[in-house]
Amino acid sequence: ADPMAGTVQRVVELPFAEKRWVPERRYFDDFAAHRLGLEWNFRRLPTEGTYSLAARSGFLRLYAKPAVISEPDRSRCSLMGVRQKEATFSFKAFMQFDTKLVGAEAGVMLFQKDDVYLQFTIKRSDNSWLLQLLRKEKHSDAREVTSRELPDYNKELRFEVHADLNGYNFSYALARDGPVESLFQGLPPDALLMAGYTGAYMGLYATTVGQTSHEAEYADFDWVERTTVITL
């Protein structure tokens, strides 16, 4: 914290002016390794069979379990992430997901605690697929920011989240190299803010939302990219 202001400032001088600061600009994981990288963390110790790097070569398979992210339950849901290191960044992930289980969903999430998060997922509905953006603030229920039916969804989706000093922007593409479509622009920069907590993560999420299935439900992630945008 700034000793003069008594608060944490967005921009501060380097404590050692003679030292050169080299920020990490990009983290990329294509899940080609046999073990999960040390950048990845879980909210709690994951249950056995939460994910696999062996089920499909070159993919991280995240199994959708009945548990959902929830503060009262402190559940060990299928949620994993890498640390958000700067306020200005982009986070992208390419996912393949198919299910017949109505209500099951998978996608990406920005989270600080079990009751403070932004959830960007695609959900199976009765006759179609629904792309949703949810915002959860402390002491309130999760609310829908926006949603869109995707009748042309064909089992794969590229998620993109961009954050700058003006807020969060959420986009998607219906194919690996397909054109980007905007879902929502300009969510306020304080939309994800938790007093008294110092960690922020961006990650992957899958759930059957309380339902059990006779078949394994899962999402396959081909790659994840976190890019830091340095603003001075």
Side-chain angles (χ1 to χ4, degrees):
D2 186 329
M4 301 301 294
T7 58
V8 176
Q9 301 297 297
R10 183 179 291 275
V11 179
V12 297
E13 293 183 2
L14 289 174
F16 305 103
E18 70 279 6
K19 300 293 183 179
R20 183 168 179 263
W21 176 53
V22 183
E24 179 192 44
R25 298 278 184 169
R26 181 175 182 259
Y27 172 76
F28 182 82
D29 196 339
D30 61 1
F31 305 114
H34 297 296
R35 298 185 65 180
L36 194 63
L38 296 179
E39 284 274 350
W40 291 96
N41 282 296
F42 297 84
R43 286 284 294 140
R44 295 178 185 86
L45 181 68
T47 59
E48 185 176 356
T50 294
Y51 73 94
S52 173
L53 292 170
R56 184 180 179 188
S57 179
F59 286 78
L60 180 141
R61 177 161 292 181
L62 184 62
Y63 289 94
K65 304 292 185 67
V68 298
I69 184 170
S70 172
E71 174 62 27
D73 300 333
R74 296 180 62 83
S75 64
R76 293 189 288 170
C77 59
S78 297
L79 172 65
M80 53 192 294
V82 295
R83 188 173 293 278
Q84 177 189 326
K85 296 186 176 182
E86 301 289 342
T88 52
F89 64 86
S90 71
F91 180 61
K92 303 177 183 179
F94 180 71
M95 179 189 78
Q96 295 180 342
F97 176 59
D98 188 28
T99 180
K100 296 178 181 178
L101 191 63
V102 174
E105 59 186 311
V108 301
M109 183 178 289
L110 308 182
F111 57 98
Q112 293 191 3
K113 289 182 75 68
D114 289 348
D115 57 353
V116 179
Y117 58 81
L118 300 174
Q119 180 178 317
F120 187 19
T121 56
I122 187 163
K123 175 189 291 188
R124 179 71 174 178
S125 62
D126 289 328
N127 301 308
S128 185
W129 295 88
L130 187 68
L131 186 64
Q132 274 189 322
L133 175 61
L134 302 180
R135 178 184 180 185
K136 175 69 173 71
E137 299 176 89
K138 194 171 181 62
H139 304 309
S140 66
D141 294 333
R143 66 175 182 84
E144 181 180 281
V145 177
T146 190
S147 63
R148 179 178 299 172
E149 283 198 1
L150 298 183
D152 296 326
Y153 175 71
N154 191 27
K155 305 178 184 179
E156 60 182 35
L157 199 67
R158 189 173 81 242
F159 295 91
E160 299 192 7
V161 182
H162 300 271
D164 56 30
L165 300 184
N166 295 315
Y168 298 91
N169 303 312
F170 298 83
S171 305
Y172 67 96
L174 290 171
R176 185 184 302 272
D177 300 313
V180 176
E181 300 283 345
S182 173
L183 179 68
F184 191 87
Q185 304 289 310
L187 195 66
D190 62 353
L192 188 66
L193 191 62
M194 175 65 194
Y197 192 68
T198 57
Y201 279 81
M202 51 192 77
L204 313 175
Y205 181 59
T207 178
T208 60
V209 194
Q211 305 175 87
T212 56
S213 175
H214 297 298
E215 300 180 1
E217 303 290 343
Y218 56 82
D220 283 342
F221 291 88
D222 190 13
W223 54 262
V224 166
E225 180 188 60
R226 177 194 63 201
T227 304
T228 296
V229 180
I230 302 300
T231 59
L232 300 176

